[in-house]
Amino acid sequence: MRTKHVNLLIAFVATVLFSFSCFCISRLTQANNQLINCRNHILEFEDNILRLKNKTEKSNQELMKALKQIKHEITKGDNLSVNLVKKKLSKLSKNEAVPNTFEDLKFFLPHLRKEGRIYPDVVIGKGKTGVSFALGIPTVSRGNYTYLKQTLTSILSRMTPSEEKDSVVIVAIADSNEDYLQYVVRMITKKFKRQVKSGSLEVISIPTFLYPNISNAKQLTEDSQKTQSRKVKQVLDFCILMLYAQPKAMYYLQLEDDIIAKKMYLTKITDFVHNITSNNWVYIEFSILGFIGKLFRCEDLPGFVRFFLMFYKEQPIDLLMEYMFQIKMCDPVDSFDNCKELQKQIRIQYKPSLFQHVGTHSSLSGKEQRYNKI
């Protein structure tokens, strides 16, 4: 009986061991199948990576080829654009493209932001550029008095032929009086035919829409309002003339329509500029009167114009120049004398003056001005 129980126990254990063995074999088979599947996935993944790498290299090659083509097209387009711009500038006339510098006016004069073309009307001109000197002369009607013919005769007759060839004189008519415009055009085309034909003398007219309405700017008397309006307009006239002249020359000489130039004035100016040891000058004064005889580098003119436009309602242009030099060179704690000494580093004065003021009748009706001595 006892032996029977032992046999049964052994049979039971054998059965359990057999079942466990079968279970283990089954699990091992599943694990092996999973490993095989995993290996297959890994091989498939490696194959995909290899194909992707090959595809990426091919794409990179195609991309580099496309970039080279784009670069070539851009270079070709830039060269074409430069050639077109050069061609455009060489043929600049009143009907053609407007220099971008005039767009600055829209920032400071909000009434112009809805305007399209901002540019003075070119009445006489051949678009002369690439010269050494541009001489700007704004002019307005003085009623029955005019000094413009005398001024132009002095300016042009006292140039040498080579100086005339290397300069352009720009008369800016800043007056809405159509009769005065016609007078200036007739006088210049008759008196200065050679200069007009060569392009050395130009006439522009400043459209009235460029000026803002300042009638309500301040509570002033009628006379004070006229004086204030004239000062504001004068600053804007200078700014527009500067912007027009800026791309034409290396240097810009500011003049007025009631002055006489001394003999060999441009020769003396040229020699003086070429012999200056310092290159830090901002402008050179060839006359101590107002804004007459002030020489600027043309490349600096847009900066001056922006400063003038910030304060065009506050002060006349000669005082704005004073403030600009004070801001540029002086500290608030500097004394007046020390400030003046510092300004001499960038503000050079030539002596004696090369321009004589001759006008006694102002553009303001009924007003006379007698400061023609220098």
Side-chain angles (χ1 to χ4, degrees), residues 101-102 104 108 235 238-239 242-243 246 282 291 296-311 317 320-321 324-325 327-328:
T101 50
F102 277 91
D104 288 346
F108 298 98
V235 175
F238 283 123
C239 289
M242 285 178 167
L243 290 178
Q246 189 268 329
V282 174
F291 209 46
F296 303 82
R297 292 186 181 91
C298 280
E299 63 184 4
D300 296 335
L301 288 178
F304 280 101
V305 169
R306 294 184 191 106
F307 182 83
F308 297 151
L309 290 175
M310 282 192 286
F311 306 104
I317 200 162
L320 290 179
M321 283 295 303
M324 185 174 186
F325 285 121
I327 293 170
K328 190 174 182 67

PDB file of all heavy atoms in Angstrom, residues 101-102 104 108 235 238-239 242-243 246 282 291 296-311 317 320-321 324-325 327-328:
ATOM      1  N   THR A 101      15.596 109.971 -51.207  1.00  0.00           N
ATOM      2  CA  THR A 101      15.795 110.946 -50.141  1.00  0.00           C
ATOM      3  C   THR A 101      14.567 111.815 -49.928  1.00  0.00           C
ATOM      4  O   THR A 101      14.307 112.253 -48.809  1.00  0.00           O
ATOM      5  CB  THR A 101      17.005 111.844 -50.459  1.00  0.00           C
ATOM      6  OG1 THR A 101      16.877 112.349 -51.792  1.00  0.00           O
ATOM      7  CG2 THR A 101      18.303 111.079 -50.329  1.00  0.00           C
ATOM      8  N   PHE A 102      13.786 112.055 -50.960  1.00  0.00           N
ATOM      9  CA  PHE A 102      12.592 112.890 -50.818  1.00  0.00           C
ATOM     10  C   PHE A 102      11.502 112.189 -50.013  1.00  0.00           C
ATOM     11  O   PHE A 102      10.591 112.843 -49.509  1.00  0.00           O
ATOM     12  CB  PHE A 102      12.061 113.297 -52.190  1.00  0.00           C
ATOM     13  CG  PHE A 102      12.762 114.497 -52.767  1.00  0.00           C
ATOM     14  CD1 PHE A 102      13.878 114.346 -53.566  1.00  0.00           C
ATOM     15  CD2 PHE A 102      12.331 115.776 -52.477  1.00  0.00           C
ATOM     16  CE1 PHE A 102      14.544 115.444 -54.073  1.00  0.00           C
ATOM     17  CE2 PHE A 102      12.986 116.887 -52.987  1.00  0.00           C
ATOM     18  CZ  PHE A 102      14.098 116.730 -53.797  1.00  0.00           C
ATOM     19  N   ASP A 104      11.897 111.031 -47.179  1.00  0.00           N
ATOM     20  CA  ASP A 104      12.060 111.453 -45.785  1.00  0.00           C
ATOM     21  C   ASP A 104      11.075 112.550 -45.415  1.00  0.00           C
ATOM     22  O   ASP A 104      10.692 112.694 -44.247  1.00  0.00           O
ATOM     23  CB  ASP A 104      13.489 111.965 -45.540  1.00  0.00           C
ATOM     24  CG  ASP A 104      14.512 110.849 -45.522  1.00  0.00           C
ATOM     25  OD1 ASP A 104      14.094 109.673 -45.438  1.00  0.00           O
ATOM     26  OD2 ASP A 104      15.722 111.135 -45.589  1.00  0.00           O
ATOM     27  N   PHE A 108       8.363 113.642 -41.671  1.00  0.00           N
ATOM     28  CA  PHE A 108       8.306 114.877 -40.901  1.00  0.00           C
ATOM     29  C   PHE A 108       7.115 115.763 -41.278  1.00  0.00           C
ATOM     30  O   PHE A 108       6.722 116.627 -40.491  1.00  0.00           O
ATOM     31  CB  PHE A 108       9.605 115.665 -41.093  1.00  0.00           C
ATOM     32  CG  PHE A 108      10.823 114.941 -40.600  1.00  0.00           C
ATOM     33  CD1 PHE A 108      11.637 114.245 -41.470  1.00  0.00           C
ATOM     34  CD2 PHE A 108      11.150 114.950 -39.252  1.00  0.00           C
ATOM     35  CE1 PHE A 108      12.765 113.578 -41.003  1.00  0.00           C
ATOM     36  CE2 PHE A 108      12.265 114.279 -38.785  1.00  0.00           C
ATOM     37  CZ  PHE A 108      13.072 113.592 -39.658  1.00  0.00           C
ATOM     38  N   VAL A 235      13.005 127.490 -44.349  1.00  0.00           N
ATOM     39  CA  VAL A 235      13.692 126.269 -43.919  1.00  0.00           C
ATOM     40  C   VAL A 235      13.361 125.120 -44.868  1.00  0.00           C
ATOM     41  O   VAL A 235      14.243 124.367 -45.303  1.00  0.00           O
ATOM     42  CB  VAL A 235      13.319 125.900 -42.470  1.00  0.00           C
ATOM     43  CG1 VAL A 235      13.937 124.551 -42.084  1.00  0.00           C
ATOM     44  CG2 VAL A 235      13.767 126.977 -41.502  1.00  0.00           C
ATOM     45  N   PHE A 238      15.156 125.459 -48.267  1.00  0.00           N
ATOM     46  CA  PHE A 238      16.548 125.011 -48.199  1.00  0.00           C
ATOM     47  C   PHE A 238      16.619 123.485 -48.194  1.00  0.00           C
ATOM     48  O   PHE A 238      17.477 122.889 -48.866  1.00  0.00           O
ATOM     49  CB  PHE A 238      17.229 125.567 -46.959  1.00  0.00           C
ATOM     50  CG  PHE A 238      17.628 127.011 -47.056  1.00  0.00           C
ATOM     51  CD1 PHE A 238      17.173 127.952 -46.144  1.00  0.00           C
ATOM     52  CD2 PHE A 238      18.469 127.445 -48.062  1.00  0.00           C
ATOM     53  CE1 PHE A 238      17.541 129.288 -46.231  1.00  0.00           C
ATOM     54  CE2 PHE A 238      18.848 128.779 -48.165  1.00  0.00           C
ATOM     55  CZ  PHE A 238      18.378 129.701 -47.254  1.00  0.00           C
ATOM     56  N   CYS A 239      15.735 122.842 -47.433  1.00  0.00           N
ATOM     57  CA  CYS A 239      15.749 121.378 -47.339  1.00  0.00           C
ATOM     58  C   CYS A 239      15.480 120.732 -48.692  1.00  0.00           C
ATOM     59  O   CYS A 239      16.171 119.782 -49.096  1.00  0.00           O
ATOM     60  CB  CYS A 239      14.707 120.911 -46.321  1.00  0.00           C
ATOM     61  SG  CYS A 239      15.127 121.283 -44.602  1.00  0.00           S
ATOM     62  N   MET A 242      18.430 121.192 -51.015  1.00  0.00           N
ATOM     63  CA  MET A 242      19.535 120.315 -50.626  1.00  0.00           C
ATOM     64  C   MET A 242      19.298 118.880 -51.097  1.00  0.00           C
ATOM     65  O   MET A 242      20.197 118.215 -51.615  1.00  0.00           O
ATOM     66  CB  MET A 242      19.713 120.335 -49.109  1.00  0.00           C
ATOM     67  CG  MET A 242      20.363 121.591 -48.578  1.00  0.00           C
ATOM     68  SD  MET A 242      20.473 121.531 -46.766  1.00  0.00           S
ATOM     69  CE  MET A 242      21.603 122.899 -46.465  1.00  0.00           C
ATOM     70  N   LEU A 243      18.078 118.398 -50.911  1.00  0.00           N
ATOM     71  CA  LEU A 243      17.768 117.028 -51.320  1.00  0.00           C
ATOM     72  C   LEU A 243      17.865 116.873 -52.834  1.00  0.00           C
ATOM     73  O   LEU A 243      18.294 115.823 -53.332  1.00  0.00           O
ATOM     74  CB  LEU A 243      16.362 116.650 -50.838  1.00  0.00           C
ATOM     75  CG  LEU A 243      16.185 116.474 -49.331  1.00  0.00           C
ATOM     76  CD1 LEU A 243      14.731 116.145 -49.005  1.00  0.00           C
ATOM     77  CD2 LEU A 243      17.104 115.389 -48.786  1.00  0.00           C
ATOM     78  N   GLN A 246      21.708 116.903 -53.720  1.00  0.00           N
ATOM     79  CA  GLN A 246      22.548 115.898 -53.054  1.00  0.00           C
ATOM     80  C   GLN A 246      23.143 114.829 -53.984  1.00  0.00           C
ATOM     81  O   GLN A 246      24.342 114.545 -53.912  1.00  0.00           O
ATOM     82  CB  GLN A 246      21.754 115.233 -51.922  1.00  0.00           C
ATOM     83  CG  GLN A 246      22.564 114.331 -51.021  1.00  0.00           C
ATOM     84  CD  GLN A 246      22.541 112.887 -51.486  1.00  0.00           C
ATOM     85  OE1 GLN A 246      21.557 112.454 -52.059  1.00  0.00           O
ATOM     86  NE2 GLN A 246      23.612 112.152 -51.238  1.00  0.00           N
ATOM     87  N   VAL A 282      32.599 119.519 -40.691  1.00  0.00           N
ATOM     88  CA  VAL A 282      31.198 119.279 -41.020  1.00  0.00           C
ATOM     89  C   VAL A 282      30.718 120.265 -42.076  1.00  0.00           C
ATOM     90  O   VAL A 282      29.985 119.899 -42.984  1.00  0.00           O
ATOM     91  CB  VAL A 282      30.316 119.385 -39.759  1.00  0.00           C
ATOM     92  CG1 VAL A 282      28.837 119.274 -40.115  1.00  0.00           C
ATOM     93  CG2 VAL A 282      30.698 118.291 -38.761  1.00  0.00           C
ATOM     94  N   PHE A 291      22.996 132.211 -43.928  1.00  0.00           N
ATOM     95  CA  PHE A 291      23.226 130.878 -44.492  1.00  0.00           C
ATOM     96  C   PHE A 291      23.930 130.964 -45.841  1.00  0.00           C
ATOM     97  O   PHE A 291      23.887 130.039 -46.637  1.00  0.00           O
ATOM     98  CB  PHE A 291      21.877 130.159 -44.634  1.00  0.00           C
ATOM     99  CG  PHE A 291      21.975 128.662 -44.524  1.00  0.00           C
ATOM    100  CD1 PHE A 291      22.717 128.058 -43.522  1.00  0.00           C
ATOM    101  CD2 PHE A 291      21.318 127.840 -45.428  1.00  0.00           C
ATOM    102  CE1 PHE A 291      22.814 126.673 -43.421  1.00  0.00           C
ATOM    103  CE2 PHE A 291      21.400 126.458 -45.338  1.00  0.00           C
ATOM    104  CZ  PHE A 291      22.149 125.891 -44.330  1.00  0.00           C
ATOM    105  N   PHE A 296      28.959 122.195 -47.773  1.00  0.00           N
ATOM    106  CA  PHE A 296      28.701 120.904 -47.150  1.00  0.00           C
ATOM    107  C   PHE A 296      29.205 119.791 -48.067  1.00  0.00           C
ATOM    108  O   PHE A 296      29.292 119.958 -49.284  1.00  0.00           O
ATOM    109  CB  PHE A 296      27.193 120.678 -46.942  1.00  0.00           C
ATOM    110  CG  PHE A 296      26.500 121.724 -46.132  1.00  0.00           C
ATOM    111  CD1 PHE A 296      26.076 122.915 -46.721  1.00  0.00           C
ATOM    112  CD2 PHE A 296      26.255 121.531 -44.787  1.00  0.00           C
ATOM    113  CE1 PHE A 296      25.419 123.877 -45.979  1.00  0.00           C
ATOM    114  CE2 PHE A 296      25.603 122.491 -44.038  1.00  0.00           C
ATOM    115  CZ  PHE A 296      25.185 123.670 -44.637  1.00  0.00           C
ATOM    116  N   ARG A 297      29.520 118.658 -47.480  1.00  0.00           N
ATOM    117  CA  ARG A 297      29.673 117.445 -48.286  1.00  0.00           C
ATOM    118  C   ARG A 297      28.266 116.975 -48.658  1.00  0.00           C
ATOM    119  O   ARG A 297      27.384 116.886 -47.804  1.00  0.00           O
ATOM    120  CB  ARG A 297      30.384 116.350 -47.507  1.00  0.00           C
ATOM    121  CG  ARG A 297      31.854 116.627 -47.181  1.00  0.00           C
ATOM    122  CD  ARG A 297      32.449 115.391 -46.534  1.00  0.00           C
ATOM    123  NE  ARG A 297      33.844 115.558 -46.156  1.00  0.00           N
ATOM    124  CZ  ARG A 297      34.248 115.988 -44.963  1.00  0.00           C
ATOM    125  NH1 ARG A 297      33.341 116.291 -44.039  1.00  0.00           N
ATOM    126  NH2 ARG A 297      35.533 116.118 -44.695  1.00  0.00           N
ATOM    127  N   CYS A 298      28.084 116.610 -49.901  1.00  0.00           N
ATOM    128  CA  CYS A 298      26.754 116.172 -50.332  1.00  0.00           C
ATOM    129  C   CYS A 298      26.285 114.922 -49.594  1.00  0.00           C
ATOM    130  O   CYS A 298      25.095 114.749 -49.347  1.00  0.00           O
ATOM    131  CB  CYS A 298      26.746 115.934 -51.844  1.00  0.00           C
ATOM    132  SG  CYS A 298      26.598 117.462 -52.805  1.00  0.00           S
ATOM    133  N   GLU A 299      27.224 114.055 -49.235  1.00  0.00           N
ATOM    134  CA  GLU A 299      26.842 112.833 -48.531  1.00  0.00           C
ATOM    135  C   GLU A 299      26.275 113.124 -47.142  1.00  0.00           C
ATOM    136  O   GLU A 299      25.562 112.296 -46.566  1.00  0.00           O
ATOM    137  CB  GLU A 299      28.044 111.903 -48.408  1.00  0.00           C
ATOM    138  CG  GLU A 299      29.192 112.471 -47.591  1.00  0.00           C
ATOM    139  CD  GLU A 299      30.403 111.560 -47.559  1.00  0.00           C
ATOM    140  OE1 GLU A 299      30.361 110.520 -48.251  1.00  0.00           O
ATOM    141  OE2 GLU A 299      31.376 111.875 -46.858  1.00  0.00           O
ATOM    142  N   ASP A 300      26.569 114.325 -46.598  1.00  0.00           N
ATOM    143  CA  ASP A 300      26.069 114.693 -45.272  1.00  0.00           C
ATOM    144  C   ASP A 300      24.715 115.396 -45.324  1.00  0.00           C
ATOM    145  O   ASP A 300      24.081 115.588 -44.276  1.00  0.00           O
ATOM    146  CB  ASP A 300      27.067 115.613 -44.565  1.00  0.00           C
ATOM    147  CG  ASP A 300      28.392 114.930 -44.283  1.00  0.00           C
ATOM    148  OD1 ASP A 300      28.400 113.693 -44.188  1.00  0.00           O
ATOM    149  OD2 ASP A 300      29.419 115.634 -44.158  1.00  0.00           O
ATOM    150  N   LEU A 301      24.272 115.801 -46.496  1.00  0.00           N
ATOM    151  CA  LEU A 301      23.067 116.632 -46.599  1.00  0.00           C
ATOM    152  C   LEU A 301      21.808 115.968 -46.049  1.00  0.00           C
ATOM    153  O   LEU A 301      21.018 116.627 -45.369  1.00  0.00           O
ATOM    154  CB  LEU A 301      22.848 117.054 -48.061  1.00  0.00           C
ATOM    155  CG  LEU A 301      23.840 118.090 -48.604  1.00  0.00           C
ATOM    156  CD1 LEU A 301      23.537 118.383 -50.075  1.00  0.00           C
ATOM    157  CD2 LEU A 301      23.807 119.372 -47.794  1.00  0.00           C
ATOM    158  N   PRO A 302      21.548 114.671 -46.314  1.00  0.00           N
ATOM    159  CA  PRO A 302      20.329 114.079 -45.750  1.00  0.00           C
ATOM    160  C   PRO A 302      20.271 114.176 -44.225  1.00  0.00           C
ATOM    161  O   PRO A 302      19.194 114.390 -43.655  1.00  0.00           O
ATOM    162  CB  PRO A 302      20.402 112.618 -46.214  1.00  0.00           C
ATOM    163  CG  PRO A 302      21.195 112.671 -47.482  1.00  0.00           C
ATOM    164  CD  PRO A 302      22.230 113.733 -47.243  1.00  0.00           C
ATOM    165  N   GLY A 303      21.416 114.044 -43.544  1.00  0.00           N
ATOM    166  CA  GLY A 303      21.438 114.169 -42.089  1.00  0.00           C
ATOM    167  C   GLY A 303      21.095 115.576 -41.638  1.00  0.00           C
ATOM    168  O   GLY A 303      20.331 115.765 -40.674  1.00  0.00           O
ATOM    169  N   PHE A 304      21.641 116.576 -42.322  1.00  0.00           N
ATOM    170  CA  PHE A 304      21.303 117.964 -42.010  1.00  0.00           C
ATOM    171  C   PHE A 304      19.811 118.208 -42.226  1.00  0.00           C
ATOM    172  O   PHE A 304      19.138 118.834 -41.396  1.00  0.00           O
ATOM    173  CB  PHE A 304      22.117 118.919 -42.886  1.00  0.00           C
ATOM    174  CG  PHE A 304      23.520 119.149 -42.402  1.00  0.00           C
ATOM    175  CD1 PHE A 304      24.590 118.512 -42.985  1.00  0.00           C
ATOM    176  CD2 PHE A 304      23.764 120.024 -41.352  1.00  0.00           C
ATOM    177  CE1 PHE A 304      25.885 118.723 -42.544  1.00  0.00           C
ATOM    178  CE2 PHE A 304      25.062 120.239 -40.897  1.00  0.00           C
ATOM    179  CZ  PHE A 304      26.125 119.602 -41.493  1.00  0.00           C
ATOM    180  N   VAL A 305      19.294 117.734 -43.339  1.00  0.00           N
ATOM    181  CA  VAL A 305      17.886 117.963 -43.665  1.00  0.00           C
ATOM    182  C   VAL A 305      16.977 117.351 -42.605  1.00  0.00           C
ATOM    183  O   VAL A 305      15.991 117.971 -42.183  1.00  0.00           O
ATOM    184  CB  VAL A 305      17.562 117.400 -45.065  1.00  0.00           C
ATOM    185  CG1 VAL A 305      16.057 117.380 -45.310  1.00  0.00           C
ATOM    186  CG2 VAL A 305      18.253 118.231 -46.136  1.00  0.00           C
ATOM    187  N   ARG A 306      17.289 116.152 -42.149  1.00  0.00           N
ATOM    188  CA  ARG A 306      16.463 115.524 -41.118  1.00  0.00           C
ATOM    189  C   ARG A 306      16.453 116.356 -39.839  1.00  0.00           C
ATOM    190  O   ARG A 306      15.414 116.487 -39.175  1.00  0.00           O
ATOM    191  CB  ARG A 306      16.953 114.103 -40.835  1.00  0.00           C
ATOM    192  CG  ARG A 306      16.763 113.153 -42.009  1.00  0.00           C
ATOM    193  CD  ARG A 306      17.170 111.732 -41.660  1.00  0.00           C
ATOM    194  NE  ARG A 306      17.222 110.892 -42.849  1.00  0.00           N
ATOM    195  CZ  ARG A 306      18.332 110.490 -43.425  1.00  0.00           C
ATOM    196  NH1 ARG A 306      19.506 110.827 -42.918  1.00  0.00           N
ATOM    197  NH2 ARG A 306      18.291 109.742 -44.520  1.00  0.00           N
ATOM    198  N   PHE A 307      17.610 116.902 -39.472  1.00  0.00           N
ATOM    199  CA  PHE A 307      17.666 117.746 -38.274  1.00  0.00           C
ATOM    200  C   PHE A 307      16.841 119.009 -38.474  1.00  0.00           C
ATOM    201  O   PHE A 307      16.071 119.407 -37.590  1.00  0.00           O
ATOM    202  CB  PHE A 307      19.112 118.111 -37.959  1.00  0.00           C
ATOM    203  CG  PHE A 307      19.268 118.937 -36.713  1.00  0.00           C
ATOM    204  CD1 PHE A 307      19.308 118.334 -35.466  1.00  0.00           C
ATOM    205  CD2 PHE A 307      19.363 120.322 -36.786  1.00  0.00           C
ATOM    206  CE1 PHE A 307      19.445 119.085 -34.310  1.00  0.00           C
ATOM    207  CE2 PHE A 307      19.502 121.090 -35.639  1.00  0.00           C
ATOM    208  CZ  PHE A 307      19.542 120.469 -34.394  1.00  0.00           C
ATOM    209  N   PHE A 308      16.971 119.658 -39.628  1.00  0.00           N
ATOM    210  CA  PHE A 308      16.204 120.876 -39.898  1.00  0.00           C
ATOM    211  C   PHE A 308      14.706 120.593 -39.856  1.00  0.00           C
ATOM    212  O   PHE A 308      13.924 121.400 -39.326  1.00  0.00           O
ATOM    213  CB  PHE A 308      16.574 121.445 -41.268  1.00  0.00           C
ATOM    214  CG  PHE A 308      18.004 121.884 -41.392  1.00  0.00           C
ATOM    215  CD1 PHE A 308      18.656 121.851 -42.627  1.00  0.00           C
ATOM    216  CD2 PHE A 308      18.718 122.330 -40.293  1.00  0.00           C
ATOM    217  CE1 PHE A 308      19.974 122.249 -42.753  1.00  0.00           C
ATOM    218  CE2 PHE A 308      20.044 122.727 -40.401  1.00  0.00           C
ATOM    219  CZ  PHE A 308      20.671 122.691 -41.637  1.00  0.00           C
ATOM    220  N   LEU A 309      14.288 119.456 -40.412  1.00  0.00           N
ATOM    221  CA  LEU A 309      12.865 119.132 -40.460  1.00  0.00           C
ATOM    222  C   LEU A 309      12.286 118.839 -39.079  1.00  0.00           C
ATOM    223  O   LEU A 309      11.089 119.001 -38.862  1.00  0.00           O
ATOM    224  CB  LEU A 309      12.633 117.938 -41.392  1.00  0.00           C
ATOM    225  CG  LEU A 309      12.843 118.205 -42.883  1.00  0.00           C
ATOM    226  CD1 LEU A 309      12.707 116.917 -43.684  1.00  0.00           C
ATOM    227  CD2 LEU A 309      11.863 119.249 -43.400  1.00  0.00           C
ATOM    228  N   MET A 310      13.121 118.403 -38.155  1.00  0.00           N
ATOM    229  CA  MET A 310      12.625 118.160 -36.801  1.00  0.00           C
ATOM    230  C   MET A 310      12.206 119.454 -36.110  1.00  0.00           C
ATOM    231  O   MET A 310      11.312 119.465 -35.274  1.00  0.00           O
ATOM    232  CB  MET A 310      13.694 117.435 -35.969  1.00  0.00           C
ATOM    233  CG  MET A 310      13.814 115.958 -36.258  1.00  0.00           C
ATOM    234  SD  MET A 310      14.818 115.085 -35.031  1.00  0.00           S
ATOM    235  CE  MET A 310      16.456 115.644 -35.501  1.00  0.00           C
ATOM    236  N   PHE A 311      12.853 120.564 -36.478  1.00  0.00           N
ATOM    237  CA  PHE A 311      12.621 121.830 -35.774  1.00  0.00           C
ATOM    238  C   PHE A 311      12.286 122.970 -36.738  1.00  0.00           C
ATOM    239  O   PHE A 311      12.506 124.132 -36.415  1.00  0.00           O
ATOM    240  CB  PHE A 311      13.865 122.199 -34.956  1.00  0.00           C
ATOM    241  CG  PHE A 311      14.318 121.122 -34.014  1.00  0.00           C
ATOM    242  CD1 PHE A 311      15.418 120.332 -34.312  1.00  0.00           C
ATOM    243  CD2 PHE A 311      13.634 120.875 -32.837  1.00  0.00           C
ATOM    244  CE1 PHE A 311      15.829 119.330 -33.453  1.00  0.00           C
ATOM    245  CE2 PHE A 311      14.035 119.875 -31.968  1.00  0.00           C
ATOM    246  CZ  PHE A 311      15.142 119.099 -32.269  1.00  0.00           C
ATOM    247  N   ILE A 317      16.913 128.793 -40.279  1.00  0.00           N
ATOM    248  CA  ILE A 317      17.867 127.724 -40.536  1.00  0.00           C
ATOM    249  C   ILE A 317      19.259 128.024 -40.009  1.00  0.00           C
ATOM    250  O   ILE A 317      19.987 127.119 -39.584  1.00  0.00           O
ATOM    251  CB  ILE A 317      17.901 127.397 -42.039  1.00  0.00           C
ATOM    252  CG1 ILE A 317      18.490 125.997 -42.258  1.00  0.00           C
ATOM    253  CG2 ILE A 317      18.644 128.465 -42.822  1.00  0.00           C
ATOM    254  CD1 ILE A 317      18.176 125.406 -43.603  1.00  0.00           C
ATOM    255  N   LEU A 320      19.249 127.085 -36.446  1.00  0.00           N
ATOM    256  CA  LEU A 320      19.202 125.622 -36.317  1.00  0.00           C
ATOM    257  C   LEU A 320      20.590 125.026 -36.501  1.00  0.00           C
ATOM    258  O   LEU A 320      20.950 124.041 -35.830  1.00  0.00           O
ATOM    259  CB  LEU A 320      18.237 125.030 -37.342  1.00  0.00           C
ATOM    260  CG  LEU A 320      16.752 125.292 -37.110  1.00  0.00           C
ATOM    261  CD1 LEU A 320      15.910 124.664 -38.221  1.00  0.00           C
ATOM    262  CD2 LEU A 320      16.298 124.770 -35.754  1.00  0.00           C
ATOM    263  N   MET A 321      21.380 125.624 -37.388  1.00  0.00           N
ATOM    264  CA  MET A 321      22.749 125.163 -37.556  1.00  0.00           C
ATOM    265  C   MET A 321      23.548 125.376 -36.264  1.00  0.00           C
ATOM    266  O   MET A 321      24.334 124.506 -35.852  1.00  0.00           O
ATOM    267  CB  MET A 321      23.425 125.915 -38.706  1.00  0.00           C
ATOM    268  CG  MET A 321      23.019 125.456 -40.078  1.00  0.00           C
ATOM    269  SD  MET A 321      23.501 123.763 -40.455  1.00  0.00           S
ATOM    270  CE  MET A 321      25.257 123.821 -40.200  1.00  0.00           C
ATOM    271  N   MET A 324      22.630 122.737 -33.834  1.00  0.00           N
ATOM    272  CA  MET A 324      23.159 121.437 -34.229  1.00  0.00           C
ATOM    273  C   MET A 324      24.609 121.292 -33.794  1.00  0.00           C
ATOM    274  O   MET A 324      25.023 120.241 -33.285  1.00  0.00           O
ATOM    275  CB  MET A 324      23.038 121.263 -35.741  1.00  0.00           C
ATOM    276  CG  MET A 324      23.445 119.892 -36.237  1.00  0.00           C
ATOM    277  SD  MET A 324      23.110 119.689 -37.996  1.00  0.00           S
ATOM    278  CE  MET A 324      23.520 117.941 -38.196  1.00  0.00           C
ATOM    279  N   PHE A 325      25.397 122.341 -33.968  1.00  0.00           N
ATOM    280  CA  PHE A 325      26.798 122.279 -33.555  1.00  0.00           C
ATOM    281  C   PHE A 325      26.934 122.212 -32.042  1.00  0.00           C
ATOM    282  O   PHE A 325      27.818 121.536 -31.514  1.00  0.00           O
ATOM    283  CB  PHE A 325      27.563 123.486 -34.102  1.00  0.00           C
ATOM    284  CG  PHE A 325      27.847 123.384 -35.568  1.00  0.00           C
ATOM    285  CD1 PHE A 325      27.376 124.339 -36.455  1.00  0.00           C
ATOM    286  CD2 PHE A 325      28.574 122.325 -36.080  1.00  0.00           C
ATOM    287  CE1 PHE A 325      27.635 124.241 -37.805  1.00  0.00           C
ATOM    288  CE2 PHE A 325      28.842 122.216 -37.426  1.00  0.00           C
ATOM    289  CZ  PHE A 325      28.369 123.176 -38.296  1.00  0.00           C
ATOM    290  N   ILE A 327      24.790 120.807 -29.966  1.00  0.00           N
ATOM    291  CA  ILE A 327      24.421 119.442 -29.583  1.00  0.00           C
ATOM    292  C   ILE A 327      25.549 118.471 -29.911  1.00  0.00           C
ATOM    293  O   ILE A 327      25.853 117.550 -29.146  1.00  0.00           O
ATOM    294  CB  ILE A 327      23.120 119.025 -30.297  1.00  0.00           C
ATOM    295  CG1 ILE A 327      21.947 119.868 -29.789  1.00  0.00           C
ATOM    296  CG2 ILE A 327      22.837 117.541 -30.104  1.00  0.00           C
ATOM    297  CD1 ILE A 327      20.683 119.699 -30.602  1.00  0.00           C
ATOM    298  N   LYS A 328      26.187 118.679 -31.054  1.00  0.00           N
ATOM    299  CA  LYS A 328      27.203 117.748 -31.535  1.00  0.00           C
ATOM    300  C   LYS A 328      28.496 117.823 -30.731  1.00  0.00           C
ATOM    301  O   LYS A 328      29.137 116.805 -30.463  1.00  0.00           O
ATOM    302  CB  LYS A 328      27.497 118.024 -33.012  1.00  0.00           C
ATOM    303  CG  LYS A 328      28.368 116.977 -33.697  1.00  0.00           C
ATOM    304  CD  LYS A 328      28.482 117.257 -35.172  1.00  0.00           C
ATOM    305  CE  LYS A 328      29.305 116.185 -35.880  1.00  0.00           C
ATOM    306  NZ  LYS A 328      28.643 114.874 -35.880  1.00  0.00           N
TER     307      LYS A 328
END
